[in-house]
Amino acid sequence: MTKTGTETIAAVATPPGQGGVGIIRISGPNALFIAQTLCELTPKPRQAHYVAFKDVKGQGIDQGLVLFFPGPHSFTGEDVIELQGHGGPVILDILLTQVLNHGARLARPGEFSERAYLNDKIDLAQAEAIADLIESGSEQAARAAFKSLTGEFSAHIHQLVERLIELRTYIEASLDFAEEEIDFLSDTEVLDRIDRLNSSVEALLSQTRQGALLKEGMTVVFCGEPNVGKSSLLNAVSGRDSAIVSSQPGTTRDIIREHVHLDGLPLHIIDTAGLRQSDDEIEQEGIRRARTEIEKADRILIILDNRHTHDPPLESLLTHYQLPTNIPTDLIYNKIDLTETNAQTSEYSTPLRLYVSAKTGEGLESLRTHLKKSVGFDQTTEGSFTARRRHLDSLRSAHNHIDLASEQLRIAGAGELAAEELRLAQQHLGEITGEFTSDDLLGRIFSSFCIGK
């Protein structure tokens, strides 16, 4: 995959704004020449030199450190120069302009990481982990991203690919000796190996789902009739007055979103308009938008007024509110402070029922705990690594193709079709690390990075 860039790129690698130190990163064949011109010396590899940075007329611009990392033993695999000066935006802009005037061009977002990937310094999952580490919103998310950056996630993928290759090799070799009296494909050992492989994929999928939650979070929609306390509950869980609360039904007309962290789990809570029949045109639009958000939710919480409900079956509520049946749904009985009901949780019922008071806070900790448990989130989990939705999609596809390979052998004895299913499974796993990846996907991934990374 090695593809050393023919152009030299440069960018400011530190965040915008004022700071004690600002860094300009340069990568490419002319990086050393640019450093020699600006600093009037040839920096030694991996040694810091204190120098004056000068413009084309020899006039001083700034003072700082220059470091040289020769390729291929650098982050990008190319010659890399770092100019570390003072962190003012004006001085960094002047210094970057001089670098560009000496033959470099401004780097695109993520282009340094992209070159590291193209030059086989990191794989695609590791490249994505760089961005995830920078964007980490909690200590646990940062630790998970670091695990992926060091290649732990990729190592799991490579192990699965190796096992797939061994199976494919055995099955295809058996097909070449189809005229022999021994039927290798009827050997139960082959089917057992396929089943064990699929179990490993399923286990990794579960672990990856945890990592995706750390990265992207879970979307929870509050729904129910007007005036059951949805907005009050949103305010109580988020810890701030995001939604207008009123005793008048139908106060919430538009979608209200809140982003909170529960022990490191990003949670996207959406408060919606009350679901009821209405002649009000604005309220009708709010209800339509509510249903759109409900269809995209990871979990639905039906909020009920504990004073007016008689424990209705979930099926009747789903029908009454016209809710989807394929999304996990819980019942939250609010306003227990008005009925002298104790906060409680019916953990073994389906659906789960929680009794809370948005006003007093009773039962809210149980609600938070349930939301974390419902997605398999474990604050003490040490083995998780950061992951993305595309990783989940690829693992699910690989899992499905391995299932199909097993069926082809068990039911039809079709070795050719089983081998093809295993090849497709390998291709989906290869998409995670970038072994099989389209240029369009690479463009989307690296364009989301910050400039200078």
Side-chain angles (χ1 to χ4, degrees), residues 217-261:
M218 178 177 70
T219 299
V220 178
V221 172
F222 291 180
C223 72
E225 295 182 359
N227 213 27
V228 294
K230 297 187 300 297
S231 298
S232 297
L233 196 58
L234 170 69
N235 292 343
V237 173
S238 66
R240 46 184 177 266
D241 293 333
S242 304
I244 297 174
V245 176
S246 170
S247 59
Q248 178 181 347
T251 303
T252 302
R253 300 296 184 90
D254 209 343
I255 303 300
I256 300 175
R257 306 173 190 272
E258 268 299 329
H259 304 285
V260 299
H261 278 79

Side-chain angles (χ1 to χ4, degrees), residues 373-387:
K373 282 185 176 180
S374 65
V375 292
F377 182 83
D378 183 358
Q379 187 180 4
T380 63
T381 298
E382 292 293 334
S384 62
F385 32 71
T386 189

Side-chain angles (χ1 to χ4, degrees), residues 5 58 80 85 127 130 150 161 176 193 211 219 232 242 252 255 272 297 324 327 338-339 413 420 436 440 453:
V80 172
I130 294 172
T150 56
V161 169
D176 291 338
R193 288 172 64 185
T219 299
S232 297
S242 304
T252 302
I255 303 300
T272 60
I327 299 175
L338 300 178
T339 59
E420 175 62 13
F436 302 104
D440 289 342
K453 200 61 188 174

Side-chain angles (χ1 to χ4, degrees), residues 182-292:
I182 300 175
D183 185 0
F184 293 97
L185 295 183
S186 64
D187 188 354
T188 57
E189 173 64 19
V190 178
L191 291 171
D192 289 342
R193 288 172 64 185
I194 292 177
D195 290 341
R196 290 196 298 269
L197 174 61
N198 221 13
S199 296
S200 298
V201 173
E202 192 170 0
L204 183 59
L205 180 59
S206 176
Q207 197 173 1
T208 305
R209 190 178 296 112
Q210 171 82 22
L213 286 170
L214 282 173
K215 164 64 182 171
E216 300 178 11
M218 178 177 70
T219 299
V220 178
V221 172
F222 291 180
C223 72
E225 295 182 359
N227 213 27
V228 294
K230 297 187 300 297
S231 298
S232 297
L233 196 58
L234 170 69
N235 292 343
V237 173
S238 66
R240 46 184 177 266
D241 293 333
S242 304
I244 297 174
V245 176
S246 170
S247 59
Q248 178 181 347
T251 303
T252 302
R253 300 296 184 90
D254 209 343
I255 303 300
I256 300 175
R257 306 173 190 272
E258 268 299 329
H259 304 285
V260 299
H261 278 79
L262 301 181
D263 296 330
L265 170 66
L267 191 65
H268 312 292
I269 305 176
I270 299 177
D271 180 24
T272 60
L275 302 178
R276 65 173 181 177
Q277 296 295 325
S278 174
D279 295 328
D280 187 296
E281 185 176 346
I282 298 177
E283 189 173 0
Q284 287 178 355
E285 175 61 19
I287 294 171
R288 186 194 67 78
R289 295 186 182 189
R291 296 198 181 282
T292 300

Side-chain angles (χ1 to χ4, degrees), residues 305-355:
D305 189 331
N306 193 50
R307 299 173 298 174
H308 304 149
T309 185
H310 300 286
D311 203 17
L314 176 62
E315 293 76 12
S316 64
L317 289 173
L318 295 179
T319 302
H320 177 69
Y321 293 125
Q322 301 176 32
L323 299 177
T325 58
N326 62 331
I327 299 175
T329 303
D330 300 314
L331 306 183
I332 310 298
Y333 293 81
N334 191 25
K335 303 186 180 183
I336 61 173
D337 55 294
L338 300 178
T339 59
E340 298 183 354
T341 303
N342 294 326
Q344 55 183 303
T345 305
S346 56
E347 296 183 6
Y348 304 105
S349 66
T350 303
L352 180 136
R353 292 166 171 81
L354 282 169
Y355 295 82

Side-chain angles (χ1 to χ4, degrees), residues 293-311:
E293 294 298 329
I294 289 170
E295 292 288 343
K296 298 185 293 184
D298 294 315
R299 197 167 200 88
I300 298 171
L301 301 186
I302 300 178
I303 314 301
L304 302 164
D305 189 331
N306 193 50
R307 299 173 298 174
H308 304 149
T309 185
H310 300 286
D311 203 17

Side-chain angles (χ1 to χ4, degrees), residues 23 86 108 140 143 148 196 295 357 369 386 417 453:
I23 299 175
H86 293 93
R108 300 188 307 271
Q140 188 176 14
R143 291 183 181 276
S148 289
R196 290 196 298 269
E295 292 288 343
S357 169
T369 300
T386 189
L417 296 178
K453 200 61 188 174

Side-chain angles (χ1 to χ4, degrees), residues 13-184:
T14 42
Q18 295 181 342
V21 177
I23 299 175
I24 290 177
R25 176 177 289 164
I26 311 167
S27 180
N30 292 329
L32 182 59
F33 167 75
I34 294 172
Q36 292 170 329
T37 305
L38 288 174
C39 307
E40 296 184 341
L41 63 75
T42 300
K44 296 180 180 179
R46 290 176 172 75
Q47 292 188 21
H49 300 266
Y50 183 70
V51 297
F53 305 129
K54 297 184 178 181
D55 61 17
V56 291
K57 298 180 181 179
Q59 296 180 340
I61 301 173
D62 192 11
Q63 292 178 324
L65 301 178
V66 57
L67 293 95
F68 173 42
F69 303 93
H73 304 296
S74 68
F75 173 68
T76 63
E78 306 168 341
D79 285 353
V80 172
I81 290 287
E82 284 192 0
L83 305 177
Q84 301 185 7
H86 293 93
V90 173
I91 191 62
L92 285 175
D93 185 61
I94 294 173
L95 187 55
L96 179 60
T97 299
Q98 293 302 314
V99 171
L100 299 180
N101 287 341
H102 283 89
R105 68 163 173 81
L106 189 64
R108 300 188 307 271
E111 190 168 4
F112 290 94
S113 298
E114 183 180 16
R115 289 194 175 194
Y117 163 70
L118 293 174
N119 289 326
D120 292 325
K121 304 299 292 185
I122 53 177
D123 63 33
L124 194 54
Q126 289 174 291
E128 291 171 306
I130 294 172
D132 295 341
L133 184 61
I134 294 171
E135 298 167 2
S136 297
S138 67
E139 179 180 351
Q140 188 176 14
R143 291 183 181 276
F146 182 72
K147 285 179 179 290
S148 289
L149 177 58
T150 56
E152 184 171 321
F153 181 37
S154 300
H156 285 288
I157 298 299
H158 291 315
Q159 289 172 4
L160 292 175
V161 169
E162 285 300 317
R163 291 168 64 182
L164 266 171
I165 291 174
E166 290 176 3
L167 271 171
R168 289 183 59 198
T169 301
Y170 183 85
I171 292 175
E172 290 172 10
S174 299
L175 294 173
D176 291 338
F177 294 94
E179 296 180 357
E180 299 290 334
E181 293 183 2
I182 300 175
D183 185 0
F184 293 97

